[in-house]
Amino acid sequence: MWGLMLKDLLNLKKQGQLFLVLLLVYGVLAFSSNMPELFSVFIMIGAVIPVTAEAFDERAHWDRLVLSLPVSKKMVVGSKYLLGAGLSLIGMGFYIGMGAFHPEAAFGELVQSAVMIYSLSVLMLAVLMPLLFKFGSEKLRLIMLVIVLIPAVCFAAGFVQIPEIAPEQVTLLVTAAAAAVLCLLAVSFFVSVGIVSRKEF
């Protein structure tokens, strides 16, 4: 499985330079605008990288070639999940590390928000991966626009409002959210394995 992840990382090497530029821009904006929340891009971007990795696989017809290797379909699917969750975890480290140097950031709140944002990133991964294996990367790009656009419009129009949370409830909420997302990720993984197992290559 680690070899499959290494293959994806090597394929993404050129795109990695673009990601670094993007992260640098957001980092500068976060410090210059006194908005440490912008560091969250370090975490969220990991959830969408497997979509790009799968696009490379589709162009190379990797789904057919991989069947000749001594790897199972669970390992193929699992490598994409680990890629997204692992890169988001690295992004979480950047988020905490860079946010700790921001004058507006309190470290305790920073860690709590990092866990919450990581949970959101993993939630996005859990939603996207079955769709990715079902419809492919090209169709998923259109689906992603809808997934992102609908919540954005709802928030902008005021249809959805985030309730105020008492400080003593924050830790409990973050813990419960992280546990729920991990359970959903497990369900998502088995759904994706089922989708891939039924495919005819």
Side-chain angles (χ1 to χ4, degrees), residues 81 120-133 140 143 147 184-185 188 192:
Y81 276 84
L120 290 174
S121 176
V122 174
L123 175 62
M124 182 185 298
L125 184 71
V127 172
L128 291 180
M129 294 307 291
L131 297 174
L132 175 64
F133 290 116
L140 181 60
I143 297 173
I147 292 175
L184 180 60
L185 186 66
S188 172
S192 294

Side-chain angles (χ1 to χ4, degrees), residues 150-162:
I150 291 178
V153 171
C154 290
F155 275 110
F159 296 131
V160 178
Q161 296 182 353
I162 300 176

Side-chain angles (χ1 to χ4, degrees), residues 13 24 43 45 50 69 73-74 77 93 98 107 138 170-171 176 193:
K13 185 168 59 175
L24 178 62
I43 304 175
I45 201 170
L69 300 177
K73 292 182 179 179
K74 278 188 178 180
V77 173
M98 296 189 69
F107 187 75
E138 292 301 323
V170 172
T171 302
V193 170

